Amino acid sequence: MQIGSYVLPNNVFVAPMAGVTDRPFRQLCRGFGAGYAVSEMVTSRKDLWHTLKTSRRADHTGEPGPIAVQIAGTDAEMMAEAAVYNVDRGAQIIDINMGCPAKKVCNKWAGSALMQDEPLALGIIEAVVAACAPHGVPVTLKMRTGWCAREKNAVRIARAAEALGVQMITVHGRTREQGYKGSAEYETIAAVKAAVRVPVVANGDIDSPAKAQAVLAATGADAVMIGRAAQGRPWILREVAHYLATGELLAPPLVLEVCRALLVHLQDHYTLYGEYTGVRSARKHIGWMVRGLVGGEELRARINELEDADAQWRAVSDYLQALAQSHERWPHAIALKTPANEVETPREL
Ligand SMILES: Cc1cc2nc3c(=O)[nH]c(=O)nc-3n(C[C@H](O)[C@H](O)[C@H](O)COP(=O)(O)O)c2cc1C
């Protein structure tokens, strides 16, 4: 699996998720076997580049390459400038967001809504590819199957995007209108794969090794991308990669391995966000990880009350050390998906 000149270790990717796939989470996922991790979206609005939120999103210190940054916006020139801004800050691949139900900005809808306005969508792609070409930076596209059930234009956009120089296309098997409701469908992803020569990545509702294999078989896609199923269970990435490579199921991780990884993850959080925000933003990751485990709900309730990093870190460490006394391997927990109404609608575009 290759994007431009970047050869990836496997074809199992973690999906960009605003508010989730920050640098610490991307590194956690890479450590648990993700072949590729794209950043949370970065706004194309220049006036927001210097906000703490955006500058943290453009910080790639210590991140293993290739560093891929997703940009979002509604104006071709601004998107081209945003691409160069991020390339100057270390981005090696630029991904254009046409997949996320983002909010309205400047009287235009961004993200997957761009699929409704093909000339605008293609204008953005053309401008971003032209801006990245002198830097030798490949441009990729993430989109949905279309605007609504009657307007599934993913194949048309994919063909045009390829002609404009896009080097990989990810398709989430839902329309924009669907949001996160219903089930992802894979026929449209298969049609996109059949229509282009660049690598195609299948995304949507992949939550097990068997599902990943079935989606690859149904679509002919080159890779799978996993979002919500990696929340609190980042090792699903290596489980899927192992299964695709060998046909065998990997044993769950050792509790002590998860313990080490989560404690490092928490420290990364505190370092990136500072104590106040870091403690708060780490809560969801801890909650996801212990959901369904004995004592997990009590830990989650306790964590929500703790405000200092030391106390949070220690509470998690004590819980996981105790778990390791009774379980060598990670116990089966409730599979979790972010409910549709909890998916973050990005505020900054
Ligand atoms: C919390 C959350 C935030 C998301 N943010 C983004 C984003 O910034 N950019 C994007 O292209 N997709 C975003 N998505 C969509 C995911 O990348 C993915 O396409 C979608 O969740 C379907 O995959 P899944 O069923 O494996 O979760 C987000 C999804 C979630 C749950």
Side-chain angles (χ1 to χ4, degrees):
M1 180 73 207
Q2 208 165 326
I3 307 172
S5 60
Y6 297 103
V7 180
L8 307 179
N10 65 50
N11 61 346
V12 183
F13 304 168
V14 61
M17 290 181 280
V20 180
T21 47
D22 53 13
R23 175 163 53 80
F25 190 73
R26 294 197 296 277
Q27 284 179 260
L28 181 73
C29 290
R30 295 294 294 266
F32 274 115
Y36 184 60
V38 186
S39 78
E40 307 169 90
M41 69 175 92
V42 175
T43 177
S44 64
R45 279 183 53 188
K46 239 184 193 162
D47 55 320
L48 297 174
W49 286 346
H50 298 293
T51 61
L52 206 49
K53 185 169 178 176
T54 300
S55 55
R56 280 186 189 128
R57 287 185 178 185
D59 174 352
H60 306 285
T61 316
E63 191 172 348
I67 290 167
V69 173
Q70 186 184 71
I71 56 173
T74 56
D75 179 273
E77 202 179 316
M78 283 165 70
M79 287 286 273
E81 283 180 43
V84 173
Y85 173 83
N86 283 285
V87 168
D88 288 344
R89 274 151 196 80
Q92 295 165 308
I93 297 171
I94 292 289
D95 186 52
I96 299 175
N97 180 343
M98 286 190 197
C100 186
K103 75 175 212 176
K104 203 173 183 182
V105 169
C106 306
N107 294 324
K108 281 185 195 147
W109 293 89
S112 50
L114 290 174
M115 295 186 74
Q116 198 185 24
D117 186 342
E118 285 182 33
L120 176 62
L122 300 184
I124 287 175
I125 293 170
E126 190 173 12
V128 173
V129 170
C132 290
H135 304 272
V137 169
V139 175
T140 60
L141 175 66
K142 180 163 179 285
M143 63 176 171
R144 289 189 170 222
T145 53
W147 170 257
C148 63
R150 289 172 315 283
E151 291 286 335
K152 286 196 182 173
N153 54 353
V155 169
R156 211 164 46 231
I157 293 183
R159 279 207 185 102
E162 178 178 54
L164 290 170
V166 159
Q167 299 198 34
M168 184 177 82
I169 298 170
T170 301
V171 186
H172 173 190
R174 287 185 175 84
T175 62
R176 203 264 178 194
E177 193 179 62
Q178 267 182 289
Y180 289 85
K181 294 192 201 83
S183 303
E185 56 91 359
Y186 305 109
E187 292 81 9
T188 307
I189 304 179
V192 168
K193 171 62 192 168
V196 297
R197 279 199 298 270
V198 292
V200 170
V201 184
N203 168 241
D205 296 351
I206 297 170
D207 56 4
S208 69
K211 180 79 184 266
Q213 192 181 52
V215 170
L216 285 180
T219 59
D222 303 275
V224 287
M225 179 178 272
I226 298 177
R228 289 164 294 169
Q231 294 174 349
R233 200 180 144 206
W235 50 88
I236 189 178
L237 296 153
R238 78 175 179 201
E239 289 176 349
V240 170
H242 184 81
Y243 187 73
L244 294 179
T246 66
E248 285 169 13
L249 290 171
L250 208 56
L254 295 170
V255 172
L256 284 175
E257 182 190 5
V258 175
C259 177
R260 270 192 301 274
L262 182 56
L263 293 177
V264 169
H265 183 225
L266 292 180
Q267 291 297 352
D268 282 352
H269 254 273
Y270 309 145
T271 307
L272 180 64
Y273 293 106
E275 182 166 27
Y276 182 85
T277 307
V279 164
R280 282 158 183 77
S281 87
R283 286 176 185 157
K284 60 181 176 291
H285 292 284
I286 299 166
W288 286 331
M289 211 167 252
V290 300
R291 182 158 153 156
L293 300 186
V294 175
E297 190 46 40
E298 290 75 9
L299 176 71
R300 204 184 61 78
R302 195 159 157 241
I303 290 289
N304 284 344
E305 310 222 307
L306 297 175
E307 302 222 330
D308 78 277
D310 261 1
Q312 185 183 69
W313 193 91
R314 195 143 303 284
V316 172
S317 174
D318 289 350
Y319 174 85
L320 292 176
Q321 299 289 349
L323 188 67
Q325 299 295 314
S326 53
H327 295 80
E328 187 189 11
R329 295 202 173 263
W330 195 255
H332 183 71
I334 296 171
L336 171 70
K337 278 225 177 114
T338 314
N341 60 3
E342 283 179 23
V343 171
E344 182 187 350
T345 299
R347 285 172 290 278
E348 281 184 8
L349 278 176

